[in-house]
Amino acid sequence: MEGAALSRIGLAGLAVMGQNLALNIAEKGFPISVYNRTTSKVDETLDRAAPLDLPLTGHYSPRDFVLSIRPPRSIILLVKAGAPVDLTISALLPHLSPGDSIIDGGNEWYLNTERRLADAESRNLLYLGMGVSGGEDGARHGPSLMPGGHLAAYKNVEDVLATIAAQVDDGPCVTYIGEGGSGNFVKMVHNGIEYGDMQLISEAYDVLKHIGGFSNAELGEVFGEWNRGELESFLIEITADIFRVRDEEDEEEEGGELVDKILDKTGMKGTGKWTVQQAAELSVAAPTIAASLDCRYLSGLKEERVAAAEVLRGAGMESEEDLLGSLRRGGIDRKRLVDDVRQALYASKICSYAQGMNLLRAKSDEKGWGLNLGELARIWKGGCIIRAVFLDRIKRAYQRNPQLASLVVDPEFAREMVQRQAAWRRVVGLAIQAGISTPGMCASLAYFDTYRRARLPANLVQAQRDLFGAHTYERVDRPGSFHTEWTKLARQSKAGVAAFN
């Protein structure tokens, strides 16, 4: 068998992502062995590789698969997170040797990765939890890769990962993230930021469509134009494309665009929820990401929302058409609206990314991962779903100041926030007036307004907490903790006023 052990790397799990990543690796010149429990997936992958004459071999048993890889072996898993990963590892374990590496490329909960990493160590194996972003196209042509865990495991495949990753002006979109489950955690927060981005874009669409009265064709032009400026990104680009696709399923000639036929219920895989949960556990404010998650939950209540619209209309609520009609009668400057929405979207994005970066820093501090936030922004510039020109500016912000408290106070971003806040407020105000919900933009604006205020009404909250729970409070004029008998003093004060009167 020694002579047949020619593959540089192995990949187990041949759903769409696995197949595409395997083909990417082989196309870049690295001989690869592939395996899947369902053998038809192996055949399917071989059929895709054959016309391209790629160095890819298929295997139908865990033993043959493992033994076909050159030691020390590196095996990428692309199977569903959770129990399927444990089952796959269990099938491979009897055939692995000390020094071999397992690389989980799924959207795994970071603590599961840390558990598996400890188990691998006990068997003298190496382990990586590697975030893979970019969808099927990214996997095939160049994803953004976020590997964390054993550094030695990363070094074993660094040449492969650097070659197959997306390539940008300052290098491949991969870096060693850090120890433990850091790679999975970073991918999770990446997905949380992605939730926020998609929500903010949908709100920009909603405002332009309903307040500005833009057609899908016009929206395609607007988003196409935005993609040539500061908002240039994968998500803006694909949004422009979406507005141009006609409904081919409609039998009538004038079926319209497909986007209007899609049910307004959003699905999710769980990483956005994990991001918000971790933000709460670490006491990091992430309102834009939380708002995007809440909107997905509310979108799932389609039947309830339809019923609520009827009930509230019966209670005297003006219809959306009436609210919009009165607004439009006052005159809508469509050109100005487009520019205002662009600026509101950009400013909201800064806040959303600031929240994600702050969460990463807080977790890094807690776990001692030593995350390089500027480098994370760099590897997200290509391959991944949130890839954007904007990320280069975030990279430079952290290069200027690695200890930056928030993107909001980076001098360059701070100047832009201030320049855009008038347009931002106009858009949010207009949306509120029209009854169009913009929870992501509102959350970002509230975050900005709260963060920039030197004094908040939290003094009253602390007084309330001290009154009903004796939780104490601090003073602005002297050190220490204080407690006041609020009710007793208030009654004495009230009595004194009554006696005076």
Side-chain angles (χ1 to χ4, degrees):
M1 197 70 205
E2 207 49 46
L6 300 174
S7 287
R8 172 70 177 82
I9 196 166
L11 189 146
L14 297 172
V16 175
M17 285 288 287
Q19 285 189 26
N20 282 349
L21 194 66
L23 292 171
N24 181 2
I25 292 169
E27 197 167 58
K28 298 302 193 300
F30 298 102
I32 182 170
S33 296
V34 298
Y35 164 74
N36 196 84
R37 194 175 59 169
T38 306
T39 57
S40 61
K41 292 292 185 184
V42 178
D43 295 333
E44 204 175 288
T45 309
L46 291 171
D47 288 344
R48 290 182 66 188
L52 303 171
D53 195 27
L54 299 179
L56 183 149
T57 56
H59 303 272
Y60 299 91
S61 75
R63 180 181 181 278
D64 290 350
F65 168 62
V66 172
L67 294 180
S68 72
I69 305 162
R70 190 168 70 235
R73 303 175 183 90
S74 297
I75 297 174
I76 298 172
L77 309 183
L78 272 169
V79 298
K80 192 175 178 183
V85 176
D86 291 313
L87 287 170
T88 306
I89 291 172
S90 295
L92 299 176
L93 275 178
H95 316 293
L96 296 174
S97 304
D100 289 349
S101 302
I102 298 170
I103 305 167
D104 177 16
N107 276 333
E108 187 56 272
W109 175 233
Y110 83 102
L111 289 178
N112 284 343
T113 293
E114 298 199 334
R115 167 177 60 79
R116 293 176 188 131
L117 190 147
D119 186 61
E121 276 182 357
S122 72
R123 301 170 189 271
N124 293 316
L125 299 172
L126 301 174
Y127 199 91
L128 285 178
M130 182 172 72
V132 179
S133 181
E136 56 187 271
D137 187 65
R140 181 67 183 85
H141 301 292
S144 175
L145 301 169
M146 296 155 249
H150 288 124
L151 179 59
Y154 174 70
K155 290 296 182 184
N156 285 344
V157 289
E158 186 174 11
D159 59 332
V160 178
L161 300 184
T163 306
I164 67 166
Q167 307 294 316
V168 291
D169 57 353
D170 47 9
C173 291
V174 61
T175 192
Y176 175 67
I177 300 296
E179 296 178 351
S182 59
N184 292 118
F185 194 91
V186 167
K187 175 58 163 53
M188 176 198 79
V189 175
H190 162 286
N191 285 20
I193 293 170
E194 181 185 311
Y195 272 50
D197 255 1
M198 294 171 75
Q199 177 63 31
L200 292 169
I201 291 169
S202 74
E203 291 173 18
Y205 152 65
D206 205 13
V207 169
L208 291 175
K209 180 182 176 71
H210 290 101
I211 296 178
F214 284 76
S215 68
N216 288 325
E218 289 172 321
L219 288 166
E221 289 301 313
V222 168
F223 278 82
E225 181 62 33
W226 285 355
N227 197 48
R228 291 186 283 276
E230 65 188 8
L231 288 172
E232 183 187 336
S233 63
F234 173 70
L235 285 170
I236 294 291
E237 179 187 348
I238 66 168
T239 301
D241 288 342
I242 285 167
F243 291 125
R244 299 183 178 116
V245 175
R246 297 193 66 77
D247 180 16
E248 294 180 353
E249 297 297 315
D250 199 305
E251 293 177 4
E252 295 180 21
E253 285 294 318
E254 298 178 4
E257 287 78 27
L258 180 57
V259 68
D260 294 329
K261 305 293 174 63
I262 297 174
L263 183 65
D264 53 325
K265 286 173 71 170
T266 310
M268 67 194 89
K269 292 287 180 70
T271 44
K273 180 179 76 172
W274 291 346
T275 304
V276 173
Q277 287 172 334
Q278 281 294 296
E281 284 195 21
L282 290 162
S283 301
V284 173
T288 311
I289 299 170
S292 70
L293 184 66
D294 287 339
C295 278
R296 293 197 182 197
Y297 294 148
L298 284 165
S299 78
L301 305 177
K302 175 66 175 178
E303 294 76 16
E304 283 187 42
R305 289 187 287 113
V306 171
E310 286 298 316
V311 170
L312 292 168
R313 193 174 297 122
M317 180 79 189
E318 279 186 276
S319 70
E320 191 175 285
E321 292 73 23
D322 290 339
L323 286 167
L324 289 168
S326 59
L327 252 185
R328 286 180 186 148
R329 280 192 293 277
I332 297 289
D333 184 335
R334 295 171 95 233
K335 189 174 179 182
R336 181 184 179 182
L337 181 64
V338 167
D339 193 57
D340 279 357
V341 172
R342 175 185 59 78
Q343 294 189 66
L345 178 54
Y346 188 81
S348 296
K349 275 170 64 78
I350 294 173
C351 288
S352 184
Y353 279 71
Q355 294 159 30
M357 290 301 193
N358 287 351
L359 175 54
L360 288 171
R361 186 181 56 221
K363 194 66 177 182
S364 180
D365 290 346
E366 180 195 74
K367 302 285 284 186
W369 286 337
L371 296 182
N372 182 333
L373 300 184
E375 181 68 353
L376 296 184
R378 187 195 70 77
I379 67 168
W380 290 343
K381 283 167 56 180
C384 71
I385 303 302
I386 64 171
R387 62 184 182 265
V389 171
F390 174 81
L391 282 156
D392 196 52
R393 309 187 65 194
I394 294 178
K395 180 195 81 169
R396 293 201 303 270
Y398 285 109
Q399 285 177 334
R400 282 192 291 272
N401 179 9
Q403 305 307 315
L404 184 66
S406 171
L407 288 174
V408 174
V409 293
D410 169 73
E412 195 174 303
F413 280 125
R415 191 163 50 248
E416 295 191 328
M417 299 282 280
V418 172
Q419 288 169 351
R420 286 160 177 74
Q421 65 162 334
W424 195 5
R425 295 181 197 285
R426 281 196 296 270
V427 170
V428 168
L430 202 57
I432 290 170
Q433 201 179 339
I436 301 290
S437 60
T438 53
M441 287 185 184
C442 285
S444 283
L445 183 56
Y447 179 82
F448 173 71
D449 280 338
T450 303
Y451 191 68
R452 69 178 177 79
R453 291 188 68 196
R455 184 164 173 83
L456 294 170
N459 55 317
L460 179 59
V461 175
Q462 282 299 86
Q464 291 169 333
R465 293 180 73 243
D466 188 51
L467 186 153
F468 65 66
H471 294 296
T472 74
Y473 57 89
E474 294 175 273
R475 293 178 61 106
V476 296
D477 54 353
R478 66 193 74 166
S481 295
F482 298 86
H483 170 60
T484 296
E485 296 292 336
W486 296 91
T487 304
K488 179 177 152 187
L489 291 174
R491 284 173 183 161
Q492 286 176 359
S493 175
K494 189 176 177 183
V497 170
F500 178 78
N501 288 337

